[in-house]
Amino acid sequence: MQVLPGGIAVENLGLCLTPFQRKYLLKSLETDLRAEYRRRIEIMLLFDAGQTQAQICKALGCSQETARFWIAIASSKQAHKWSDSLIGRPKTVNQQYLGRLKELASHSPRDYDYPFERWTAQWLSKHLAKELGIKVSSCHINRLLKEMGLSTRQVSKTAKKKTHSTKDSGITIGDLHSSSEFDFLLSLNFIKTSN
């Protein structure tokens, strides 16, 4: 029986890793690694020793998805790539991106030779990906716009009219204008009551 670094005992090795890969992974565990990288290696070594996905998750306290991914890497003889996948999502949106998004959203798409009058989050995303090389989903574009107090939605006619808001209440009261249809119904009601 062999004991892996971390005190995990395994009975047999060699179910999916080559002897070279196993030696490389064991040697890598001897270095000072971030916990996430160490877990990747341990998942592959435990799977190579015959442990099931459930047993690996229980022993290491990792998610099913993480175990499944690194088991697939080990099974496909790619165990040497344990450090190729970066940990966490890279931060793609920077101040330059935010500034350019604000600038684009504040101008008509026609200013940039597009045939439409209003931006959509999808078109903003496409334009910025082409211009800055940073791809962001349209949902994230909408979140960023909201944080900046902007939107791609068209402002309704009633919202364009003068509004009055009460302080700190969050309630907005717009000027009410009677429509001709309302006046007509009101006059019919007046006729009925006067007869």
Side-chain angles (χ1 to χ4, degrees), residues 10 17 64 67 87 104 130 172 189:
V10 292
L17 300 175
Q64 295 279 340
I87 294 173
L104 288 171
K130 184 173 75 173
T172 303
N189 194 23

Side-chain angles (χ1 to χ4, degrees), residues 77-195:
K77 306 291 186 208
Q78 301 292 313
H80 60 283
K81 295 188 175 185
W82 63 267
S83 63
D84 289 357
S85 298
L86 298 176
I87 294 173
R89 186 181 311 182
K91 188 166 179 78
T92 57
V93 176
N94 54 27
Q95 288 303 318
Q96 178 191 11
Y97 188 94
L98 293 173
R100 186 65 176 139
L101 174 61
K102 188 173 187 174
E103 183 181 341
L104 288 171
S106 301
H107 292 89
S108 169
R110 291 190 179 193
D111 295 343
Y112 302 95
D113 298 326
Y114 288 105
F116 42 89
E117 293 181 20
R118 288 186 315 111
W119 285 108
T120 63
Q122 185 175 7
W123 272 106
L124 284 167
S125 175
K126 286 179 184 180
H127 183 87
L128 288 165
K130 184 173 75 173
E131 190 176 295
L132 300 176
I134 298 172
K135 188 170 181 162
V136 174
S137 74
S138 56
C139 291
H140 192 55
I141 292 288
N142 280 328
R143 278 191 296 273
L144 294 172
L145 288 170
K146 186 176 181 180
E147 288 173 11
M148 290 187 268
L150 300 171
S151 176
T152 59
R153 296 179 187 214
Q154 188 172 13
V155 179
S156 67
K157 290 179 184 177
T158 56
K160 286 181 182 177
K161 294 179 182 174
K162 187 177 178 183
T163 59
H164 305 283
S165 65
T166 59
K167 281 189 175 182
D168 300 327
S169 70
I171 299 173
T172 303
I173 304 169
D175 292 336
L176 299 176
H177 298 282
S178 61
S179 68
S180 58
E181 181 180 324
F182 179 76
D183 291 337
F184 175 71
L185 292 172
L186 189 61
S187 65
L188 284 177
N189 194 23
F190 178 75
I191 293 169
K192 286 180 185 176
T193 56
S194 59
N195 286 336

